[in-house]
Amino acid sequence: MFDHTRSADRMLLLLNTLLLMVIAFLPFASSLLAHAFESGHGKRTALIFYGATYEAAAILFNVIWEYARPGRRLLTSTTDNDTARAIRRRFRPAPFWIAAGTALGALHPVVGLVVVIAFIPFYWLPIKGEVGSIQHAREQSQGDPQV
């Protein structure tokens, strides 16, 4: 997402700080979940806590992108409208998918965990047009003596 961001204003910095706070909290949520599965106690509660933490991160990713995207005012000149829409399409399902996994986890923790974790590879896959856009931006910055 930030490969496509050219500048940041105070609001984007605030939103990113909140996102980083949630990301920094993920190891604790993961540890709590692992302990619950190891001990066999509190699996549902731990999964709901874990899912809520991931849910907060997913919502913040969407909020940040929706803040930066309109009019491409904070995006690089190499980020075309198709790439911006593709990134939006990638971020949009995350809160719903993670919420569904968390809700399933309240009923059956293992199923909920599988659903939540299944979303991670979705983010690893490149977005159509994104890789070329990033490579083009990097090539331009290497030729620019000011960078």
Side-chain angles (χ1 to χ4, degrees), residues 14-37:
L14 172 66
L15 293 170
N16 188 52
T17 300
L18 293 173
L19 175 62
L20 291 174
M21 289 169 61
V22 172
I23 298 300
F25 194 70
L26 284 173
F28 175 72
S30 299
S31 175
L32 187 68
L33 182 66
H35 179 70
F37 272 84

Side-chain angles (χ1 to χ4, degrees), residues 3-4 72 75-80 83 133-134 136-138 140:
D3 280 335
H4 298 283
R72 297 179 36 228
L75 302 182
T76 63
S77 61
T78 58
T79 303
D80 59 15
T83 301
S133 174
I134 292 170
H136 180 69
R138 288 182 181 157
Q140 277 188 334

Side-chain angles (χ1 to χ4, degrees), residues 97-118:
W97 188 320
I98 294 167
T102 303
L104 284 170
L107 303 172
H108 193 325
V110 173
V111 172
L113 182 60
V114 168
V115 171
V116 170
I117 290 175

Side-chain angles (χ1 to χ4, degrees), residues 4 65 69 72 75-91 126-134:
H4 298 283
W65 188 249
R69 191 183 63 81
R72 297 179 36 228
L75 302 182
T76 63
S77 61
T78 58
T79 303
D80 59 15
N81 288 331
D82 290 337
T83 301
R85 280 191 295 274
I87 293 170
R88 181 182 193 200
R89 281 192 309 270
R90 172 176 288 189
F91 289 166
I127 299 171
K128 181 180 178 183
E130 179 187 22
V131 174
S133 174
I134 292 170

